[in-house]
């Protein structure tokens, strides 16, 4: 049903006159797109509708579903048959370090890339690609389910004019979405109704990478005509970033064909082909412009990667009524880790208990080597002793593991307490033993508090307090009315998922500590430090 002559029911122009290129299908005809679809729990996307829309413009789209078990099966031979890659990310990492670099080389050679993400945790591979290629990332889990409209400048609920949005008057956000972290080179094209960065595009002289935070807009039950112009425009803009020059959108085509394209698009003769070739860096040179995996993402030395996690648990006297629930929660966490074989090869855990002192109740070991003790409560509360105990034990653990030929990744602390410390000495302990200034092997710290614990104290524990959100510490406070049993149960699920996702990233060759998002723990409110 049309509301106005020439427009569909969503307010977008009918036909293709307003698509990218003004209906000149010859400019992009012959593009071949690989839609690599990672496993997701719902869906599927509207494959036939996508293929029909793109086929109308002379583009071919093939959908490849990644394996539901193990690593991704994307290969160089597979990519070689296509000029664009549209990558729909799942909830666990499947790309290896080699595959991430392979895709980087593919884009550097002049091919297009569109990264489709969604709400947490459906951006695992999307983050591997965005971080490695352009230094950006995705995060968050926000309800969307509304429609963006054009705007002269970026603002909540609107999108700006761009090749990607040409011919679109109304754009569905997606059901639930994440947000794009802006970095130099990334243009945010659209914001959801509550300000999430929902659509973006990275551009430099040779590369264009499209970022989308709501792949549910492609689901059959959410598919609307409003997606058509966007999808067709995306295919054209990903493939042709430079309408006024030869650009990387021409890819590996013969010089006479490239010259004909250039003349048709610009009305002038192309520049000297050899000069054009000489000024373009090869993929190896372009690698240097990508964001390197920084020190946080590299482990020491060579050999098997080990990701160490330390659980620091408050067992002071005020915890006495909750010790049964705490022991139960620790047992559930241990069992969930035992159920995932990949974790035993890549993750080691330690349990440190504290009150006015601290002791290592479970030394660092793989889950299958751990026997949990039954904990009891007594004494006061002091945050300094567990921090000192962690520092001493991790220093020894790291030395031991490296002597065994292991590669030790940056440690992660999960700190659980039901109250504030009896003194402020922990701030000096943090400064002298934990922070980067005095400890290059500083840990990630995620703090959880309930009952009498306050945000002011937990905020000073969360670390690091620098870098982008993926690497910043965070802290969680139980909401009013949430029972201790509910909080501990929610924490178990979140910690198990965090550890599993971290292990999956290590098995894929790109180790990353995946800490819970601030909105990720039921019954608790979270914040980045």
């Amino acid at each position: 049903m049309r509301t106005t002559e020439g427009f569909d029911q969503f307010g977008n122009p009918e036909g293709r006159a307003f698509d990218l290129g003004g209906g000149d299908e010859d400019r992009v005809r012959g593009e071949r797109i690989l839609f690599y679809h990672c496993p997701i729990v719902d869906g599927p996307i509207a494959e036939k509708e996508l293929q029909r829309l793109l086929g109308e413009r002379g583009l071919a789209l093939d959908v490849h579903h990644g394996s539901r078990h193990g690593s991704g099966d994307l290969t160089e031979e597979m990519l070689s048959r296509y000029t664009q890659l549209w990558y729909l990310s799942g909830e666990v990492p499947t790309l290896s370090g080699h595959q991430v670099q392979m895709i980087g080389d593919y884009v550097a050679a002049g091919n297009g890339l569109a990264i489709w993400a969604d709400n947490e945790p459906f951006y695992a591979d999307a983050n591997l690609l965005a971080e490695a290629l352009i230094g950006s990332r995705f995060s968050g889990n926000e309800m969307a389910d509304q429609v963006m409209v054009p705007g002269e400048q970026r603002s909540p609920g609107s999108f700006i004019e761009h090749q990607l949005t040409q011919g679109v008057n109304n754009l569905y956000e997606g059901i639930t979405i994440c947000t794009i972290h802006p970095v130099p080179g990334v243009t945010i094209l659209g914001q959801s109704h509550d300000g999430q960065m929902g659509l973006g595009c990275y551009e430099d002289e040779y590369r264009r990478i499209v970022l989308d935070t709501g792949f549910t807009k492609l689901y059959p039950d959410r598919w609307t005509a409003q997606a058509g112009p966007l999808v067709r425009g995306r295919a054209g803009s990903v493939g042709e970033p430079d309408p006024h020059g030869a650009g990387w959108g021409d890819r590996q085509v013969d010089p006479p064909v490239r010259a004909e394209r250039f003349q048709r698009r610009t009305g002038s003769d192309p520049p000297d082909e050899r000069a054009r070739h000489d000024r373009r860096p090869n993929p190896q040179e372009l690698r240097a412009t990508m964001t390197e995996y920084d020190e946080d993402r590299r482990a020491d030395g060579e050999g098997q990667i080990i990701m160490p996690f330390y659980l620091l648990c408050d067992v002071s006297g005020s915890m006495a009524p909750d010790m049964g629930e705490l022991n139960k929660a620790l047992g559930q966490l241990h069992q969930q880790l035992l159920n995932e074989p990949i974790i035993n090869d890549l993750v080691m855990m330690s349990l440190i208990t504290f009150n006015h002192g601290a002791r290592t109740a479970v030394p660092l070991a793989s889950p299958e080597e751990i026997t949990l003790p039954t904990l009891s409560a007594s004494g006061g509360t002091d945050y300094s002793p567990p921090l000192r105990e962690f520092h001493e034990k991790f220093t020894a653990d790291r030395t031991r593991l490296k002597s065994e030929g292991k590669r030790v990744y940056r440690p992660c602390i999960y700190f659980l307490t039901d109250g504030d410390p009896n003194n402020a000495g922990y701030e000096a302990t943090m400064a002298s033993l934990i922070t980067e200034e005095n400890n290059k092997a500083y840990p990630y710290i995620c703090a959880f508090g309930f009952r009498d614990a306050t945000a002011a104290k937990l905020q000073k524990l969360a670390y690091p307090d620098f870098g982008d959100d993926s690497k910043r510490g965070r802290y969680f406070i139980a909401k009013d009315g949430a029972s201790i049993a509910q909080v501990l149960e929610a924490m178990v699920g979140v910690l198990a998922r965090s550890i599993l996702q971290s292990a999956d990233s290590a098995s894929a060759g790109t180790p990353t500590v995946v800490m819970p998002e601030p909105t990720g723990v039921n019954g608790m409110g979270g914040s980045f430090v």
Side-chain angles (χ1 to χ4, degrees):
M1 181 179 70
R2 295 178 297 177
T3 56
T4 306
E5 186 68 28
F7 293 84
D8 62 28
Q9 59 180 317
F10 306 102
N12 293 317
E14 291 185 318
R16 301 193 298 278
F18 291 91
D19 284 356
L20 183 66
D24 180 15
E25 282 81 8
D26 288 343
R27 186 166 65 81
V28 292
R29 187 177 300 279
E31 293 281 324
R32 290 184 56 81
I33 302 169
L34 172 62
F35 196 114
Y36 189 91
H37 193 312
C38 287
I40 54 178
V41 294
D42 50 13
I45 63 168
E47 295 181 15
K48 292 184 179 179
E49 191 68 16
L50 277 170
Q51 290 168 331
R52 180 187 64 78
L53 282 168
L54 295 171
E56 291 175 353
R57 295 199 64 188
L59 299 98
L61 179 137
D62 294 329
V63 180
H64 178 87
H65 290 269
S67 172
R68 289 192 173 273
H69 305 284
S71 301
D73 56 357
L74 189 63
T75 65
E76 292 181 22
E77 191 280 328
M78 189 185 301
L79 281 178
S80 69
R81 302 195 294 269
Y82 299 93
T83 51
Q84 297 184 34
L85 171 64
W86 293 10
Y87 196 99
L88 187 146
S89 179
E91 62 183 318
V92 297
T94 67
L95 290 171
S96 67
H98 169 74
Q99 287 170 318
V100 170
Q101 188 63 67
M102 174 185 72
I103 294 172
D105 290 346
Y106 173 82
V107 176
N111 299 289
L113 174 63
I115 302 174
W116 294 85
D118 209 81
N119 63 284
E120 184 199 8
F122 295 96
Y123 45 66
D125 279 345
N127 272 349
L128 295 181
L129 291 171
E131 290 176 359
L133 272 61
I134 58 178
S136 182
R137 62 184 298 273
F138 303 87
S139 68
N141 184 355
E142 300 295 335
M143 189 65 191
D145 206 27
Q146 296 192 31
V147 174
M148 295 182 286
V149 297
E152 293 185 1
Q153 59 185 9
R154 193 180 71 207
S155 61
S158 68
F159 57 87
I160 61 174
E161 182 178 353
H162 187 271
Q163 288 177 319
L164 277 170
T165 58
Q166 186 169 343
V168 181
N169 289 338
N170 296 282
L171 177 59
Y172 180 59
E173 298 170 345
I175 303 173
T176 49
I177 63 173
C178 55
T179 191
I180 301 165
H181 290 245
V183 296
V186 171
T187 300
I188 300 300
L189 305 178
Q191 283 186 298
S192 66
H193 68 282
D194 61 350
Q196 305 302 312
M197 309 300 178
L199 179 64
C201 184
Y202 173 87
E203 300 172 274
D204 62 24
E205 188 177 5
Y206 301 103
R207 298 180 293 166
R208 172 170 287 168
I209 299 172
V210 177
L211 311 171
D212 193 292
T213 66
F215 61 57
T216 49
K217 63 171 58 75
L218 301 179
Y219 282 10
D221 63 338
R222 300 287 169 161
W223 178 270
T224 60
Q226 60 189 310
L230 177 71
V231 168
R232 289 193 296 257
R234 177 165 304 186
S237 63
V238 172
E240 297 282 345
D242 183 5
H244 303 297
W248 62 258
D250 291 311
R251 318 216 203 306
Q252 307 300 322
V253 294
D254 293 335
V257 176
R258 185 183 295 117
E260 187 273 332
R261 284 188 185 179
F262 185 94
Q263 192 169 47
R264 183 174 70 244
R265 290 188 309 204
T266 66
S268 60
D269 292 330
D272 177 72
E273 182 66 26
R274 180 173 296 277
R276 176 179 179 273
H277 177 78
D278 288 346
R279 72 179 176 83
R280 172 184 287 191
N282 59 38
Q284 285 70 35
E285 292 170 332
L286 266 175
R287 286 180 187 174
T289 70
M290 298 178 186
T291 300
E292 296 283 350
Y293 295 133
D294 61 23
E295 188 63 28
D296 284 356
R297 304 193 59 159
R298 291 197 298 268
D300 299 321
E302 302 297 333
Q304 173 67 51
I305 292 174
I306 296 297
M307 304 189 79
F309 290 83
Y310 292 79
L311 188 57
L312 277 54
C313 282
D314 185 345
V315 293
S316 60
S318 58
M319 284 287 295
D322 311 305
M323 293 311 295
E325 294 295 340
L326 177 59
N327 283 306
K328 177 182 175 182
L330 292 174
Q332 291 173 339
L333 174 61
H334 186 212
Q335 187 58 53
Q336 288 191 38
L337 299 183
L338 289 174
N339 291 340
E340 299 291 344
I342 188 176
I343 288 181
N344 277 307
D345 295 330
L346 299 168
V347 165
M348 288 188 174
M349 291 195 65
S350 174
L351 173 63
I352 295 174
T353 60
F354 69 93
N355 43 30
H356 52 270
R359 71 182 184 91
T360 296
V362 176
L364 190 71
S366 62
E368 66 182 5
E369 298 172 328
I370 287 175
T371 300
L372 289 175
T374 298
L375 304 181
S376 59
S378 65
T381 304
D382 191 340
Y383 291 173
S384 288
L387 295 174
R388 288 195 296 267
E389 180 77 0
F390 158 76
H391 182 264
E392 177 184 338
K393 295 302 182 183
F394 175 66
T395 300
D397 291 337
R398 183 184 186 193
T399 300
R400 169 176 59 84
L401 292 170
K402 290 179 66 175
S403 71
E404 296 170 358
K406 305 289 198 304
R407 291 187 289 162
V408 184
Y409 194 69
R410 189 175 299 283
C412 180
I413 292 174
Y414 290 115
F415 193 103
L416 171 65
T417 183
D418 77 330
D420 285 352
N422 297 331
N423 60 71
Y426 76 99
E427 295 180 43
T429 305
M430 282 284 296
S432 63
L433 298 181
I434 302 298
T435 60
E436 183 187 31
E437 289 76 12
N438 294 306
N439 182 6
K440 296 304 180 184
Y442 64 85
Y444 297 108
I445 302 181
C446 181
F448 298 87
F450 55 92
R451 197 185 282 108
D452 298 326
T454 63
K457 294 296 191 292
L458 294 184
Q459 183 178 7
K460 294 178 180 178
L461 278 177
Y463 197 78
D465 55 1
F466 54 85
D468 63 36
D469 286 349
S470 68
K471 298 175 182 177
R472 295 179 76 91
R474 55 209 69 187
Y475 58 97
F476 297 82
I477 290 286
K479 298 178 180 178
D480 291 341
S483 72
I484 305 305
Q486 291 172 330
V487 168
L488 290 173
E489 183 179 1
M491 283 177 51
V492 164
V494 167
L495 296 189
R497 186 172 69 184
S498 171
I499 293 169
L500 177 58
Q501 290 177 340
S502 301
D504 282 336
S505 72
S507 69
T510 53
T512 303
V513 171
V514 183
M515 289 191 288
E517 292 293 330
T519 57
V521 185
N522 291 334
M524 304 192 85
S527 300
F528 293 112
V529 65

